[in-house]
Amino acid sequence: MKNNSHVSSIISIARYLRGVTNCLMVSAIATLSTLAIASSALAERREVDIRLPVNQDEGFTVMTRRAEILARSAAQRTFDREVLVSDVAVKVTAQSQDQAAIILQLIVSRDEWASRPDPKVWATYFPMAKALMGIR
């Protein structure tokens, strides 16, 4: 009669390894689920305030275009640098020596921006800034 003790040792090691593998798989799934929930819970809105110096030699239309360019680059830069940011709010304020008025505010989600990175689509304009700032 042959000694089958080495076979039973291999079987018990295989059962042990199967149990360890199952534990590791459950742990990995739990960890990934926790990370997914945590990252969505950490998603946040970033607010960016930009001051745009008033140049009396340029008209309000030119100043608005400059504000759009600044808002666009601020939104893109924020989404590029901060992966957990889900929404960006960019406020561009015209600033003279003694006065300030909001020209535009851009509020956009990451998904919206990815589908259409155009500040004209997502911005709210404040045309009263022209009169408040005395810009032609």
Side-chain angles (χ1 to χ4, degrees), residues 28 47 93 107 113 119 121 126 130 133:
E47 295 185 10
T93 304
I107 300 174
W113 190 254
V121 173
F126 299 91
K130 180 178 180 178
M133 299 300 293

Side-chain angles (χ1 to χ4, degrees), residues 21-98:
T21 303
N22 288 342
C23 276
L24 288 174
M25 286 182 62
V26 169
S27 294
I29 291 169
T31 302
L32 290 174
S33 298
T34 302
L35 288 174
I37 291 168
S39 67
S40 65
L42 293 175
E44 59 185 69
R45 172 186 246 178
R46 180 71 62 229
E47 295 185 10
V48 180
D49 290 324
I50 299 172
R51 298 291 176 153
L52 179 61
V54 172
N55 181 351
Q56 292 295 339
D57 295 334
E58 67 185 13
F60 188 72
T61 303
V62 173
M63 183 174 286
T64 302
R65 296 299 164 249
R66 285 180 41 213
E68 288 171 347
I69 292 167
L70 290 170
R72 183 187 195 293
S73 63
Q76 187 66 54
R77 189 172 45 250
T78 302
F79 286 132
D80 288 347
R81 289 183 181 168
E82 301 182 52
V83 296
L84 294 180
V85 170
S86 59
D87 298 285
V88 172
V90 180
K91 180 174 59 175
V92 180
T93 304
Q95 179 81 46
S96 69
Q97 290 179 348
D98 56 347

Side-chain angles (χ1 to χ4, degrees), residues 110-127:
R110 181 180 293 275
D111 291 339
E112 290 169 336
W113 190 254
S115 71
R116 191 148 182 213
D118 183 358
K120 293 176 185 173
V121 173
W122 311 113
T124 301
Y125 294 86
F126 299 91

